[in-house]
Amino acid sequence: MKQAIRVTIFITALCGIVFPALLTLFGQILVPDKAAGSLVQENGKFIGSELIAQPFTSKQYFHGRPSAVDQLAGSSAGDNLAASNPELGTKIAAFQKQNREDGASLPDDALVTSGSGFDPHISVAYALDQAKRIATARDLSRDEVRKLITKEAGTHDYVNVLLLNLALDRSKS
């Protein structure tokens, strides 16, 4: 019995203290920005994290994916509506009214929540769908907004909403 208790204490200390401490130390040395949460600062002020979605609701900003938890840090969940759910039709109509001129199909990430509700990225297609609204709200040309989206996306088919909105703010400065 004593040996079982010693082994339990040893394994608990090794797996619960030593191993996490070593991972934290190596993370801080090898990739300090990521180990600290990929925090974004502007003018010395904490803005958010590249890894966690922030809610943007103003017409002047790109909106992230829908979230079942409204990006509240204490919750995490996905909550996608079935095609037969009338609430989905309401969401589609609202999105199309705000962002679309044509009846083209919508990007999936415009309507479907992420698994956790904290996905910080949207597809380039979803960002481009929002270009008209943002150009109008900011008195910019759609072409300027589209170029910003393309620049921020780089070679990816997705873009980080927080970083894109910060770039949008800087573009008018």
Side-chain angles (χ1 to χ4, degrees):
M1 183 70 149
K2 287 181 184 179
Q3 186 174 4
I5 292 172
R6 283 190 209 125
V7 169
T8 301
I9 291 170
F10 174 76
I11 295 296
T12 300
L14 182 68
C15 296
I17 298 169
V18 176
F19 183 67
L22 285 174
L23 284 180
T24 301
L25 178 66
F26 286 135
Q28 292 292 338
I29 292 168
L30 299 175
V31 284
D33 60 320
K34 288 184 176 30
S38 296
L39 301 179
V40 177
Q41 292 187 15
E42 187 122 322
N43 300 323
K45 182 182 174 192
F46 169 72
I47 307 263
S49 170
E50 289 182 42
L51 305 174
I52 300 175
Q54 283 89 51
F56 289 96
T57 56
S58 168
K59 290 182 178 185
Q60 295 187 3
Y61 288 105
F62 289 94
H63 299 167
R65 291 181 69 174
S67 173
V69 295
D70 295 324
Q71 287 96 21
L72 299 172
S75 325
S76 175
D79 185 24
N80 293 311
L81 303 173
S84 60
N85 189 319
E87 190 179 332
L88 181 60
T90 304
K91 284 174 70 173
I92 291 171
F95 181 85
Q96 285 183 319
K97 181 180 178 186
Q98 190 176 43
N99 297 292
R100 282 293 181 116
E101 296 170 348
D102 57 12
S105 63
L106 299 172
D108 290 341
D109 57 336
L111 299 167
V112 179
T113 63
S114 67
S116 67
F118 297 119
D119 187 355
H121 300 99
I122 59 174
S123 67
V124 169
Y126 183 24
L128 290 170
D129 277 348
Q130 299 180 58
K132 174 190 171 210
R133 172 180 45 83
I134 291 163
T136 302
R138 289 189 175 246
D139 196 28
L140 297 169
S141 74
R142 268 197 239 175
D143 195 46
E144 288 176 280
V145 177
R146 286 183 182 133
K147 284 179 183 174
L148 183 67
I149 294 167
T150 304
K151 179 182 173 196
E152 287 298 311
T155 59
H156 302 289
D157 60 351
Y158 60 88
V159 64
N160 185 293
V161 177
L162 174 63
L163 299 180
L164 181 58
N165 283 330
L166 289 173
L168 186 61
D169 283 343
R170 285 191 296 270
S171 73
K172 200 61 175 173
S173 318

